Amino acid sequence: MGEAAKVPVVAEAHEVDTFHPPQKMLEKHPSKPHLNGLEDYQKLYKESITEPTKFWGRLARELLTWHKDFQTVSSGSLQGGDVAWFLEGELNASYNCVDRHAFKDPNRVAIIYEADEPSEGRNVTYGELLREVSKVAYVLRDMGVRKGDTVAIYLPMVPEAVVALLACARIGAVHSVVFAGFSADSLRDRVIDARSKVVITSDEGKRGGKLIGTKKIVDEALKQCPDVRHTLVFKRTGADIPMTPGRDVWWHEEVQKWPAYIPPEPMSSEDPLFLLYTSGSTGKPKGMMHTTGGYLLGAAATGKYVFDIHDGDRFFCGGDVGWITGHTYVVYAPLLLGVSTVVFEGTPAYPNFSRYWDIIENHKVTQFYVAPTALRLLKRAGDQHVRNEMKHLRVLGSVGEPIAAEVWKWYFEVVGKEEAQIVDTYWQTETGSHVITPLAGVTPTKPGSASLPFFGIEPAIIDPVSGEEIHGNDVEGVLAFKQPWPSMARTVWGAHKRYMETYLTVYNGYYFTGDGAGRDHEGFYWIRGRVDDVVNVSGHRLSTAEIEAALIEHPAIAEAAVVGVADELTGQAVNAFVAIKEGNEASDALRKEFILQVRRSIGPFAAPKAVYIVPDLPKTRSGKIMRRILRKILAGEEDQLGDITTLSDPSVVAKIITTVHDAK
Ligand code: ATP
Ligand code: MG
């Protein structure tokens, strides 16, 4: 297997196209990209690796405003699990995101709120944001929240969610956002694990034209959270909801009591800013802890260089604030850089499949950022829904999963009209901000590759068997990083041992990502998916992402998930689960076509031994496919599915089990 890890992989077997930053994108640029071409990137990248102190010290002073300057840029090590950045430095996240822009230009738009109903949105200026954040900060302080306390936030995508995060940061409280689609049990677990004593929520939520009983879920969860003293309830719909006297208070009533300015609490650079639980694709979610200075720098630096954010830009990240993508790229990066950020409450399918494109056109959005799962949905719905205009778009981002080349090209051609650059950004809740990614306007791209490392990230491809780093290009293995970077998570909340064992002691001296990756002949990185998701057929290490990408090229397939099952002959065999587009009927002939598709596109060795046509795939609430559930079902271990509370629709599991049983 040590040898097998080095077997050249499929992606490099066939020629891939390289796309340069589109000329038309550069022509409509308000000035020019922050870097002058790839050579500039290479020069800076080299400095960030060989002289990280100089590089990050300079950037930290350039992009952030410090209450008190730091003397030490970084200390600690990956081995020690005690990484710290900008020691002695003091700053406040809400000051950096709000005050410094509000003082200069209070009328600049901070938040473009797109409500679930297209007509009900509004804008929030930096001046208004400062007043609202201050008032809520007072409310929290009045509830007894002190520096270092954690506050749970369970809110729909409304401007008040952004206000809530920043109000916590303003007084030094640690926010712990729980995605407002989670059940009462999942919320309870996260409130207890984070030891939150206050919960910020709303009466109801509104998404895709449907009402969600948000407060009801909170009430249910809090029955088993005796330590929660208060809930602050934002009135979103005006529904008649029960309020528990002494515990629940209304947001609009409380904020009236307090003045519109409260000074920000100076925080040590290493004071925690927030806790956030991972998506739970591979098991029980981990409560990652991020600190203030390093995290903010990662957000600002990637916002500036990856998305090429300039003054006056309008940034639209479709991710929910309940995920790391929403934290870093709905809230922190755009606000740190003082531009306008879209807060979108709805879904891409409501009131119709043009919703994203309408938002982009109506608000002259310059950067759009979304997950491949949404792109697959919209591609499946048909090109007729995509609007022709959207002339201001310069950057189209993808995040969360590998993006199949077919979907990448659709994004580039149909959505971007070849006038915007695609940035496939690889990162994790744990990394805080992008780690492998193109820089818009600078880095050439190849569909399916996250391209090159961001500043300060020194990737290593490791042979999973020997644990040795594999040097040079055209290599394959698991992905790790060799040096600490500012925005890395510092611990798993209350479980530092788990943090060490999951990330830092697997390969001593490295940060282990848990993902497989290849580095091609030009040094470009190709993320293959979770290490657990690699299939080993007769010594060929195949990436599930690769085979799925091949399947998606078939016109009848909407989504595909590939897993390995034990096989007497070949060690493992490839099995595929596919959801087909409307208008197609499941049949043996179709299944054969799918197998042929993989044979043709990759090779006979990758052909699925079985293809199951299912109504839908098991996905996390952030839209990622949970392949471990499919593996368990195929192994006949339906009673050992593990933690499935992060599934968005648990009912698909029973349907998949039936399909597999019927086929056997
Ligand atoms: P858990 O850690 O609980 O299993 P999760 O890993 O899905 O859940 P996140 O931190 O939200 O939680 O996701 C990070 C993972 O998403 C990465 O490790 C990687 O597998 C995948 N990922 C993110 N961006 C990309 C990308 N651009 N290309 C390929 N994979 C990506
Ligand atoms: Mg993970």
Side-chain angles (χ1 to χ4, degrees), residues 33-302:
H34 294 292
L35 297 183
N36 193 14
L38 198 61
E39 263 171 43
D40 243 21
Y41 156 77
Q42 281 155 344
K43 213 166 68 201
L44 273 179
Y45 175 72
K46 194 163 169 225
E47 186 197 18
S48 76
I49 298 301
T50 56
E51 296 176 276
T53 301
K54 190 171 152 213
F55 178 86
W56 288 118
R58 184 177 69 233
L59 232 62
R61 291 189 179 100
E62 178 191 312
L63 293 173
L64 303 176
T65 305
W66 296 82
H67 179 79
K68 191 174 140 221
D69 195 18
F70 51 87
Q71 272 113 56
T72 312
V73 170
S74 78
S75 79
S77 66
L78 294 175
Q79 283 94 334
D82 56 350
V83 169
W85 287 83
F86 313 117
L87 295 97
E88 309 96 11
E90 288 180 9
L91 76 173
N92 182 282
S94 87
Y95 177 87
N96 274 274
C97 289
V98 190
D99 302 40
R100 55 182 186 157
H101 313 305
F103 296 158
K104 256 199 329 225
D105 187 2
N107 296 324
R108 186 186 299 179
V109 173
I111 296 172
I112 299 169
Y113 170 42
E114 259 295 316
D116 193 46
E117 291 302 329
S119 56
E120 289 174 3
R122 69 190 154 86
N123 287 347
V124 180
T125 65
Y126 275 97
E128 288 165 341
L129 188 59
L130 177 57
R131 292 193 282 277
E132 194 70 4
V133 167
S134 288
K135 283 169 169 285
V136 175
Y138 259 116
V139 174
L140 293 174
R141 195 168 272 181
D142 183 51
M143 287 176 163
V145 177
R146 295 290 172 265
K147 186 169 167 170
D149 290 349
T150 57
V151 172
I153 296 175
Y154 187 75
L155 278 171
M157 282 293 283
V158 289
E160 286 71 17
V162 180
V163 171
L165 265 70
L166 296 172
C168 289
R170 196 155 188 93
I171 59 170
V174 181
H175 57 74
S176 171
V177 181
V178 180
F179 173 55
F182 272 128
S183 65
D185 286 359
S186 302
L187 173 61
R188 174 202 61 204
D189 292 349
R190 287 163 179 74
V191 167
I192 292 174
D193 189 69
R195 291 168 214 132
S196 304
K197 294 194 187 66
V198 167
V199 179
I200 308 181
T201 186
S202 64
D203 51 357
E204 286 186 316
K206 223 168 156 252
R207 217 165 160 260
K210 293 192 195 85
L211 292 172
I212 300 149
T214 314
K215 174 64 162 49
K216 210 152 115 201
I217 298 167
V218 171
D219 286 339
E220 190 59 37
L222 294 193
K223 278 186 194 155
Q224 291 170 56
C225 303
D227 292 341
V228 172
R229 294 187 307 253
H230 291 292
T231 72
L232 179 62
V233 186
F234 170 68
K235 187 179 264 188
R236 169 62 185 89
T237 64
D240 189 18
I241 53 154
M243 298 285 278
T244 304
R247 188 194 71 184
D248 303 347
V249 292
W250 285 107
W251 175 300
H252 62 277
E253 287 176 5
E254 292 306 302
V255 293
Q256 286 184 13
K257 300 177 183 168
W258 304 102
Y261 179 78
I262 185 173
E265 179 83 32
M267 303 296 288
S268 287
S269 177
E270 280 298 322
D271 275 334
L273 177 62
F274 67 86
L275 305 183
L276 185 66
Y277 292 81
T278 56
S279 295
S281 308
T282 55
K284 189 176 178 296
K286 301 166 278 265
M288 305 312 305
M289 183 188 94
H290 281 282
T291 59
T292 310
Y295 171 80
L296 293 178
L297 182 56
T302 51

Side-chain angles (χ1 to χ4, degrees), residues 330-638:
V330 173
V331 183
Y332 287 106
L335 296 182
L336 283 167
L337 297 170
V339 299
S340 310
T341 184
V342 175
V343 171
F344 177 41
E345 189 177 26
T347 73
Y350 181 80
N352 54 54
F353 289 112
S354 298
R355 189 63 196 273
Y356 277 159
W357 321 130
D358 287 341
I359 296 173
I360 291 171
E361 175 60 17
N362 294 344
H363 300 295
K364 302 187 166 58
V365 165
T366 43
Q367 291 92 352
F368 176 56
Y369 192 31
V370 81
T373 181
L375 296 174
R376 290 193 296 262
L377 173 92
L378 295 168
K379 181 171 181 283
R380 178 185 194 173
D383 296 358
Q384 71 276 18
H385 301 286
V386 184
R387 288 185 67 156
N388 280 328
E389 305 93 339
M390 307 196 285
K391 283 287 167 215
H392 294 81
L393 277 177
R394 302 201 310 272
V395 187
L396 293 170
S398 171
V399 58
E401 280 184 289
I403 178 168
E406 194 71 10
V407 179
W408 195 105
K409 285 185 183 148
W410 179 81
Y411 203 20
F412 181 63
E413 288 161 13
V414 178
V415 177
K417 326 283 190 277
E418 306 187 14
E419 293 183 10
Q421 181 162 357
I422 309 289
V423 291
D424 174 5
T425 62
Y426 167 78
W427 60 300
Q428 311 175 300
T429 310
E430 297 86 337
T431 67
S433 53
H434 304 142
V435 284
I436 296 187
T437 175
L439 310 183
V442 174
T443 314
T445 52
K446 308 179 191 185
S449 165
S451 80
L452 301 172
F454 190 69
F455 302 127
I457 300 295
E458 194 180 7
I461 300 288
I462 293 180
D463 179 332
V465 178
S466 67
E468 297 295 322
E469 185 179 346
I470 315 172
H471 295 275
N473 284 348
D474 249 330
V475 292
E476 194 69 20
V478 300
L479 179 64
F481 303 135
K482 284 159 94 163
Q483 332 191 339
W485 63 101
S487 69
M488 67 182 287
R490 304 293 192 257
T491 194
V492 174
W493 188 245
H496 196 67
K497 188 160 172 271
R498 188 177 179 202
Y499 172 78
M500 295 302 292
E501 287 170 357
T502 310
Y503 308 105
L504 301 183
T505 56
V506 183
Y507 302 107
N508 198 25
Y510 296 87
Y511 168 88
F512 175 50
T513 63
D515 289 309
R519 182 166 54 220
D520 73 13
H521 61 290
E522 292 177 313
F524 275 52
Y525 289 85
W526 298 76
I527 308 298
R528 309 289 182 206
R530 328 272 166 176
V531 170
D532 308 350
D533 289 342
V534 169
V535 188
N536 198 323
V537 183
S538 311
H540 297 282
R541 287 172 56 84
L542 303 173
S543 125
T544 52
E546 198 89 49
I547 304 171
E548 288 159 10
L551 284 165
I552 283 183
E553 283 173 31
H554 191 286
I557 294 184
E559 292 205 276
V562 163
V563 294
V565 287
D567 189 280
E568 269 181 43
L569 217 60
T570 54
Q572 278 192 311
V574 172
N575 279 16
F577 291 80
V578 298
I580 51 180
K581 291 185 190 163
E582 248 167 76
N584 294 286
E585 279 290 325
S587 69
D588 280 342
L590 203 55
R591 271 184 281 267
K592 275 203 189 107
E593 268 188 44
F594 297 162
I595 294 169
L596 211 69
Q597 170 80 28
V598 179
R599 289 180 73 96
R600 261 201 313 261
S601 165
I602 303 178
F605 55 95
K609 203 164 178 185
V611 174
Y612 301 98
I613 298 178
V614 293
D616 206 353
L617 298 173
K619 276 181 249 165
T620 63
R621 284 164 202 269
S622 52
K624 297 179 196 209
I625 299 166
M626 280 166 93
R627 294 178 191 76
R628 70 182 165 88
I629 291 189
L630 300 174
R631 272 197 300 271
K632 287 280 180 195
I633 293 174
L634 287 175
E637 295 168 0
E638 289 122 28

Side-chain angles (χ1 to χ4, degrees), residues 32 196 209 314 437 634 646 649:
K32 52 185 195 283
S196 304
R314 288 154 310 272
T437 175
L634 287 175
T646 57
D649 176 9

